[in-house]
Amino acid sequence: MNKDQVKGRVEEAKGKAKEVAGKIFDDKGMEIEGNVQKNIGKVQSGYGDAKEDIKDELEDD
């Protein structure tokens, strides 16, 4: 697992928590901010996954 995968998953979890807190407290701004943070985390972890896949492919050759 590389740093992009870890950081992305952490951001995704923090974003999800913020999104849920926004729903609980009826705070649309926090909910939207959490959703954005969650999606940024998904992109970053996806980037990390792709890097890991490429690295694995290069090692197999």
Side-chain angles (χ1 to χ4, degrees):
M1 192 169 250
N2 62 42
K3 67 179 180 178
D4 287 309
Q5 289 172 308
V6 173
K7 287 181 179 180
R9 287 187 176 86
V10 168
E11 285 302 308
E12 199 174 334
K14 288 182 349 186
K16 182 65 178 173
K18 194 179 286 186
E19 183 180 18
V20 170
K23 287 180 184 179
I24 291 170
F25 296 118
D26 198 28
D27 184 341
K28 277 288 186 198
M30 182 185 286
E31 187 178 342
I32 291 169
E33 186 179 324
N35 192 335
V36 169
Q37 186 175 10
K38 179 180 71 173
N39 288 322
I40 289 171
K42 282 183 182 181
V43 169
Q44 186 173 11
S45 65
Y47 173 69
D49 291 342
K51 280 180 29 179
E52 199 69 22
D53 289 344
I54 291 168
K55 185 178 103 179
D56 290 344
E57 284 297 318
L58 292 174
E59 288 176 353
D60 288 342
D61 291 335

